[in-house]
Amino acid sequence: MAIKKGIYAASISILKEDLSLDTDFTIKHAERLINEGCHGVVIFGSTGQAQLISSAEKIKLVEKLSSSKYKKNFIIGTGLNSLKENIEMMQHSLKNGFNQFLIMPPAYYKYSDEGAYSFYANLINKIPESNIILYNFEKLSGYKFSLQIVEKLVKDFPKQIVGLKDSSYNLYENLKIPNFFIFPGSETKLLKGLELGCSG
Protein backbone atom coordinates (compact mmCIF):
# COMPACT_ATOMS: atom_id res chain seq x y z
CA MET A 1 0.00 0.00 0.00
CA ALA A 2 1.33 3.40 -0.94
CA ILE A 3 1.05 6.07 1.71
CA LYS A 4 -2.39 7.64 1.59
CA LYS A 5 -4.58 9.90 3.68
CA GLY A 6 -5.68 8.46 6.99
CA ILE A 7 -4.85 7.82 10.62
CA TYR A 8 -1.36 6.44 11.27
CA ALA A 9 -0.63 5.40 14.82
CA ALA A 10 2.80 5.81 16.35
CA SER A 11 3.18 2.33 17.77
CA ILE A 12 5.11 1.46 20.91
CA SER A 13 8.03 -0.94 21.30
CA ILE A 14 7.32 -3.53 23.96
CA LEU A 15 10.22 -4.73 26.08
CA LYS A 16 10.83 -7.95 27.95
CA GLU A 17 11.85 -8.05 31.61
CA ASP A 18 15.52 -8.08 30.55
CA LEU A 19 14.84 -4.87 28.54
CA SER A 20 15.35 -6.57 25.18
CA LEU A 21 12.75 -5.95 22.47
CA ASP A 22 9.78 -8.30 22.53
CA THR A 23 9.54 -8.62 18.75
CA ASP A 24 6.44 -10.79 18.61
CA PHE A 25 4.42 -8.72 21.09
CA THR A 26 5.47 -5.46 19.41
CA ILE A 27 4.21 -6.74 16.07
CA LYS A 28 0.96 -8.08 17.57
CA HIS A 29 0.27 -4.69 19.14
CA ALA A 30 0.89 -2.89 15.84
CA GLU A 31 -1.42 -5.29 14.00
CA ARG A 32 -4.10 -4.74 16.64
CA LEU A 33 -4.00 -0.98 15.99
CA ILE A 34 -4.79 -1.64 12.34
CA ASN A 35 -7.48 -4.16 13.28
CA GLU A 36 -9.13 -1.48 15.39
CA GLY A 37 -9.29 1.07 12.59
CA CYS A 38 -5.95 2.72 11.91
CA HIS A 39 -4.98 3.01 8.26
CA GLY A 40 -1.37 2.28 9.10
CA VAL A 41 1.25 2.15 11.81
CA VAL A 42 4.69 3.67 12.21
CA ILE A 43 7.22 1.25 13.68
CA PHE A 44 10.20 2.76 15.56
CA GLY A 45 9.13 6.37 15.77
CA SER A 46 9.74 8.40 18.92
CA THR A 47 6.83 6.68 20.70
CA GLY A 48 8.49 3.40 19.71
CA GLN A 49 11.69 4.51 21.46
CA ALA A 50 13.61 4.25 18.20
CA GLN A 51 16.78 5.82 19.58
CA LEU A 52 16.90 3.25 22.41
CA ILE A 53 16.38 0.06 20.39
CA SER A 54 19.51 -1.59 19.04
CA SER A 55 20.05 -1.94 15.30
CA ALA A 56 20.21 -5.72 15.66
CA GLU A 57 16.78 -5.79 17.30
CA LYS A 58 15.35 -3.49 14.64
CA ILE A 59 16.71 -5.76 11.91
CA LYS A 60 15.13 -8.81 13.54
CA LEU A 61 11.76 -7.09 13.89
CA VAL A 62 11.73 -5.93 10.25
CA GLU A 63 12.39 -9.50 9.13
CA LYS A 64 9.47 -10.83 11.17
CA LEU A 65 7.24 -7.90 10.22
CA SER A 66 7.61 -8.85 6.56
CA SER A 67 5.37 -11.88 7.22
CA SER A 68 2.51 -9.80 8.60
CA LYS A 69 -0.74 -9.73 6.65
CA TYR A 70 -0.66 -5.95 7.18
CA LYS A 71 2.80 -5.60 5.67
CA LYS A 72 1.75 -2.85 3.27
CA ASN A 73 0.31 -0.75 6.11
CA PHE A 74 3.59 -0.24 7.96
CA ILE A 75 5.97 2.70 7.82
CA ILE A 76 9.46 2.04 9.17
CA GLY A 77 11.11 4.67 11.33
CA THR A 78 14.88 4.28 11.26
CA GLY A 79 15.61 6.19 14.48
CA LEU A 80 19.31 6.38 13.72
CA ASN A 81 21.78 9.27 13.66
CA SER A 82 24.48 7.71 11.51
CA LEU A 83 24.05 8.22 7.77
CA LYS A 84 25.65 4.83 7.14
CA GLU A 85 23.38 3.03 9.63
CA ASN A 86 20.30 4.74 8.16
CA ILE A 87 21.29 3.50 4.72
CA GLU A 88 21.91 -0.02 6.02
CA MET A 89 18.56 -0.09 7.82
CA MET A 90 16.75 1.16 4.73
CA GLN A 91 18.48 -1.39 2.52
CA HIS A 92 17.53 -4.18 4.92
CA SER A 93 13.93 -2.94 4.97
CA LEU A 94 13.80 -2.88 1.18
CA LYS A 95 15.02 -6.48 1.04
CA ASN A 96 12.07 -7.35 3.27
CA GLY A 97 9.54 -5.49 1.17
CA PHE A 98 9.34 -2.10 2.93
CA ASN A 99 10.07 1.17 1.12
CA GLN A 100 8.10 3.62 3.30
CA PHE A 101 10.15 5.42 5.92
CA LEU A 102 9.73 8.05 8.63
CA ILE A 103 13.13 9.68 9.04
CA MET A 104 14.19 12.32 11.52
CA PRO A 105 17.44 14.19 10.83
CA PRO A 106 20.36 13.43 13.17
CA ALA A 107 20.10 14.51 16.80
CA TYR A 108 22.54 16.24 19.14
CA TYR A 109 24.82 18.15 16.75
CA LYS A 110 23.77 21.54 15.39
CA TYR A 111 23.43 22.04 11.65
CA SER A 112 21.72 24.33 9.15
CA ASP A 113 19.08 23.72 6.49
CA GLU A 114 21.96 22.91 4.15
CA GLY A 115 23.11 20.15 6.49
CA ALA A 116 19.63 18.65 6.67
CA TYR A 117 19.34 18.82 2.89
CA SER A 118 22.67 17.02 2.49
CA PHE A 119 21.56 14.27 4.90
CA TYR A 120 18.41 13.45 2.94
CA ALA A 121 20.08 13.88 -0.44
CA ASN A 122 22.69 11.30 0.53
CA LEU A 123 20.02 8.87 1.70
CA ILE A 124 18.10 9.24 -1.55
CA ASN A 125 21.26 8.88 -3.63
CA LYS A 126 21.81 5.46 -2.03
CA ILE A 127 18.15 4.41 -1.74
CA PRO A 128 16.34 6.06 -4.70
CA GLU A 129 13.34 3.69 -4.43
CA SER A 130 12.46 4.98 -0.95
CA ASN A 131 9.38 6.98 0.00
CA ILE A 132 10.34 9.27 2.87
CA ILE A 133 8.20 11.15 5.35
CA LEU A 134 10.26 13.93 6.92
CA TYR A 135 10.03 13.96 10.72
CA ASN A 136 9.95 17.50 12.10
CA PHE A 137 10.50 17.23 15.85
CA GLU A 138 12.86 19.90 17.15
CA LYS A 139 12.59 18.82 20.80
CA LEU A 140 14.17 15.49 19.95
CA SER A 141 16.52 16.26 17.07
CA GLY A 142 17.47 19.85 17.89
CA TYR A 143 16.61 20.87 14.32
CA LYS A 144 13.39 22.44 13.04
CA PHE A 145 12.51 22.29 9.35
CA SER A 146 11.71 25.55 7.60
CA LEU A 147 9.13 25.94 4.85
CA GLN A 148 11.93 26.68 2.41
CA ILE A 149 13.95 23.52 3.03
CA VAL A 150 10.89 21.27 2.79
CA GLU A 151 9.89 22.91 -0.49
CA LYS A 152 13.43 22.50 -1.84
CA LEU A 153 13.62 18.83 -0.86
CA VAL A 154 10.24 18.11 -2.49
CA LYS A 155 11.20 20.05 -5.62
CA ASP A 156 14.52 18.20 -6.00
CA PHE A 157 13.26 14.76 -4.91
CA PRO A 158 9.53 14.62 -5.73
CA LYS A 159 9.43 10.83 -6.01
CA GLN A 160 11.17 10.22 -2.69
CA ILE A 161 10.12 13.03 -0.32
CA VAL A 162 6.40 12.32 -0.13
CA GLY A 163 5.28 13.75 3.20
CA LEU A 164 5.98 15.37 6.55
CA LYS A 165 5.12 14.51 10.13
CA ASP A 166 5.03 17.83 11.97
CA SER A 167 5.62 17.43 15.70
CA SER A 168 7.08 20.93 16.02
CA TYR A 169 3.82 22.40 14.65
CA ASN A 170 5.47 25.25 12.75
CA LEU A 171 4.59 23.88 9.30
CA TYR A 172 1.27 22.06 9.11
CA GLU A 173 -0.81 25.26 9.04
CA ASN A 174 1.23 26.97 6.31
CA LEU A 175 2.89 24.33 4.14
CA LYS A 176 1.02 23.95 0.86
CA ILE A 177 2.56 21.51 -1.62
CA PRO A 178 0.39 19.65 -4.15
CA ASN A 179 0.22 15.86 -3.70
CA PHE A 180 2.28 16.05 -0.51
CA PHE A 181 1.16 14.37 2.71
CA ILE A 182 1.14 16.42 5.91
CA PHE A 183 0.48 14.71 9.24
CA PRO A 184 0.33 16.76 12.47
CA GLY A 185 2.20 14.78 15.11
CA SER A 186 -0.51 14.76 17.78
CA GLU A 187 -4.13 13.67 17.93
CA THR A 188 -4.85 17.02 19.59
CA LYS A 189 -4.01 18.70 16.25
CA LEU A 190 -5.93 16.18 14.12
CA LEU A 191 -9.24 18.00 13.71
CA LYS A 192 -7.63 21.37 13.05
CA GLY A 193 -5.23 19.73 10.62
CA LEU A 194 -8.04 18.07 8.69
CA GLU A 195 -9.88 21.38 8.51
CA LEU A 196 -6.74 22.91 7.00
CA GLY A 197 -6.43 20.13 4.44
CA CYS A 198 -3.83 17.93 6.14
CA SER A 199 -3.67 14.25 5.24
CA GLY A 200 -4.42 12.68 8.61
Side-chain angles (χ1 to χ4, degrees):
M1 179 185 81
I3 298 169
K4 58 179 66 174
K5 292 183 177 181
I7 305 300
Y8 290 81
S11 190
I12 61 174
S13 295
I14 298 170
L15 305 182
K16 299 178 182 178
E17 288 187 8
D18 65 359
L19 302 184
S20 63
L21 180 67
D22 191 325
T23 302
D24 293 333
F25 201 179
T26 298
I27 292 173
K28 286 179 182 178
H29 174 70
E31 290 176 334
R32 181 179 177 183
L33 292 172
I34 297 170
N35 274 330
E36 293 187 357
C38 287
H39 296 87
V41 168
V42 177
I43 301 291
F44 297 136
S46 55
T47 302
Q49 303 179 80
Q51 294 279 355
L52 306 179
I53 306 297
S54 71
S55 294
E57 289 175 309
K58 291 177 183 176
I59 286 169
K60 181 180 177 182
L61 185 138
V62 166
E63 290 171 355
K64 286 197 171 185
L65 194 66
S66 67
S67 299
S68 171
K69 66 179 179 179
Y70 293 122
K71 180 177 180 177
K72 294 182 179 180
N73 299 80
F74 293 114
I75 298 171
I76 305 298
T78 57
L80 297 160
N81 288 324
S82 162
L83 178 65
K84 183 175 183 293
E85 285 189 316
N86 268 286
I87 291 168
E88 290 172 351
M89 185 67 189
M90 293 169 75
Q91 288 173 332
H92 180 73
S93 297
L94 283 171
K95 288 178 183 177
N96 284 276
F98 301 102
N99 75 325
Q100 302 173 161
F101 301 98
L102 174 70
I103 302 180
M104 184 185 294
Y108 187 74
Y109 293 102
K110 299 296 182 183
Y111 46 88
S112 62
D113 280 356
E114 289 75 17
Y117 180 92
S118 178
F119 174 74
Y120 288 100
N122 276 286
L123 290 179
I124 292 165
N125 181 54
K126 293 291 186 180
I127 317 287
E129 56 270 69
S130 60
N131 289 158
I132 296 173
I133 296 176
L134 305 172
Y135 195 0
N136 185 35
F137 201 172
E138 184 184 18
K139 287 183 179 180
L140 289 187
S141 70
Y143 170 77
K144 182 166 63 177
F145 285 88
S146 65
L147 288 169
Q148 293 75 24
I149 193 61
V150 175
E151 290 170 346
K152 179 173 174 56
L153 282 165
V154 175
K155 178 182 177 183
D156 293 351
F157 307 107
K159 293 182 180 180
Q160 292 86 14
I161 304 295
V162 299
L164 171 95
K165 179 181 178 183
D166 187 12
S167 293
S168 289
Y169 310 119
N170 63 306
L171 297 174
Y172 81 100
E173 295 181 75
N174 303 308
L175 189 62
K176 305 295 180 185
I177 300 175
N179 302 313
F180 184 73
F181 297 101
I182 301 174
F183 300 100
S186 169
E187 63 276 9
T188 63
K189 308 288 185 182
L190 176 60
L191 181 57
K192 182 177 182 180
L194 291 174
E195 291 171 346
L196 292 168
C198 290
S199 306

